[in-house]
Amino acid sequence: MARPVTKAIFPVAGLGTRFLPATKVLPKEMLPVVDKPLIQYAVEEAMEAGIEEMIMVTAPGKGALEDHFRPAVELESFLEARGKTEALATIRENFPQPKSISFTLQDDPLGLGHAVWCARDFIGNEPFAVLLPDDLMQAIPGCLSQMMDAYHVTGGNVVAVEEVAAELTSRYGILDVIEDDGRLARAKGLVEKPSPKDAPSRLAIIGRYILQPEVFEHLNKKVTGAGGEIQLTDALAATLGDIAFHGLRIDGRRFDCGSKMGFVEANIAFAAERSDLSDG
Ligand code: UTP
């Protein structure tokens, strides 16, 4: 039986250069979609999937992320005194309160694989989830919950995948598939950012992972890959002979909020789902 997953890593140490000047001071993961920061959507998705311990891998200068998850005592008293109950609820009873949130630093942005490696002491020898908050998912049940259901059947490593246009394979980790039932694909190989002519398929890994701790053995070697970065995909590829690897197509929509177009689309799509805004 697949071992339960109760911990999640949120790699949030990137520089967010595509969103300058907004991200000169504000961490990219604090950008709001409608009225909620990206990081909060990701934490809520993780909680829905049964994650209890959240580990954020952050960078110097991104303290706003930590502040966001601390109680805002003065603001709460102010809202209470003014009788602003709805506003108060957004930061109190409706605010996500997982069992724990820890923060650890990635001093240098050496790549996603390195960011995940920075959280190794919090994970120990357990399977864990990784959520990239800039991939915002609109799905019921949530993306990670759908993946957990698949994981309980398959075990091993499970990632969320999406079919991308041939010309976009060079932006993603791409699966080399041996079996595919249209929703769940089993991979025999993985390639990080292949050019369209070298891509073994168009099934691209998006920002959600359920991983076995063996991946740290490979990340420990700190091998650099595409773009001179320590790539998570390369470490996963190295475990393929020993650990089953499945990609799950998610029932729902993904917004790449690391790109301006995805961010704008997400704001419109999430506003359209809101009873207080959809008419407008
Ligand atoms: P991106 O590739 O989107 O990089 O990282 P970025 O730096 O955040 O943004 P741009 O490209 O400069 O605009 C994908 C995810 O991996 C994290 C990022 O924080 C983001 O959530 N990441 C990336 C790290 O935590 N550390 C790294 O070294 C690289």
Side-chain angles (χ1 to χ4, degrees), residues 15-264:
L15 297 176
T17 54
R18 282 171 288 168
F19 272 93
L20 285 168
T23 48
K24 190 177 168 202
V25 176
L26 186 74
K28 175 173 74 172
E29 301 77 10
M30 285 300 297
L31 292 173
V33 166
V34 185
D35 52 10
K36 203 194 283 185
L38 287 169
I39 188 68
Q40 190 175 329
Y41 285 98
V43 166
E44 289 173 356
E45 181 186 325
M47 285 177 72
E48 184 209 320
I51 300 293
E52 296 172 350
E53 294 179 46
M54 319 277 163
I55 301 115
M56 309 224 171
V57 180
T58 166
K62 296 187 89 169
L65 282 162
E66 209 163 334
D67 291 344
H68 185 67
F69 290 98
R70 282 207 190 98
V73 181
E74 281 178 20
L75 180 58
E76 285 182 24
S77 324
F78 172 86
L79 295 172
E80 210 158 22
R82 300 286 162 105
K84 293 184 180 286
T85 46
E86 248 179 67
L88 183 60
T90 63
I91 59 164
R92 208 153 64 182
E93 53 270 33
N94 298 338
F95 195 81
Q97 282 158 12
K99 196 164 140 198
S100 75
I101 303 195
S102 314
F103 294 84
T104 187
L105 276 183
Q106 183 193 26
D107 285 321
D108 260 331
L110 300 178
L112 179 59
H114 181 257
V116 168
W117 177 82
C118 289
R120 66 201 177 284
D121 291 341
F122 291 88
I123 301 298
N125 193 28
E126 290 176 37
F128 59 99
V130 177
L131 295 94
L132 306 189
D134 43 8
D135 264 339
L136 178 60
M137 305 299 300
Q138 193 175 44
I140 301 173
C143 174
L144 193 62
S145 295
Q146 293 184 33
M147 291 168 68
M148 288 288 191
D149 289 346
Y151 167 73
H152 286 123
V153 178
T154 61
N157 293 328
V158 178
V159 299
V161 292
E162 191 176 279
E163 203 109 26
V164 296
E167 64 272 20
L168 297 182
T169 55
S170 59
R171 292 193 200 164
Y172 296 91
I174 301 289
L175 271 59
D176 188 356
V177 173
I178 36 173
E179 253 172 26
D180 191 350
D181 68 6
R183 182 143 199 259
L184 195 62
R186 185 174 172 143
K188 64 173 168 22
L190 288 173
V191 194
E192 182 63 24
K193 300 189 169 60
S195 65
K197 69 172 176 30
D198 297 326
S201 77
R202 291 199 285 116
L203 268 193
I205 303 178
I206 56 174
R208 299 291 184 276
Y209 306 74
I210 295 173
L211 303 178
Q212 301 303 311
E214 285 77 6
V215 69
F216 289 119
E217 291 166 21
H218 297 278
L219 291 174
N220 275 337
K221 296 178 190 154
K222 307 228 178 113
V223 179
T224 53
E229 296 196 336
I230 300 172
Q231 299 287 357
L232 182 58
T233 310
D234 294 341
L236 298 180
T239 67
L240 275 168
D242 308 317
I243 297 174
F245 190 100
H246 289 87
L248 180 73
R249 292 177 184 82
I250 301 302
D251 191 6
R253 276 181 88 182
R254 172 184 75 112
F255 299 93
D256 174 10
C257 289
S259 78
K260 288 173 192 137
M261 191 53 75
F263 180 73
V264 171

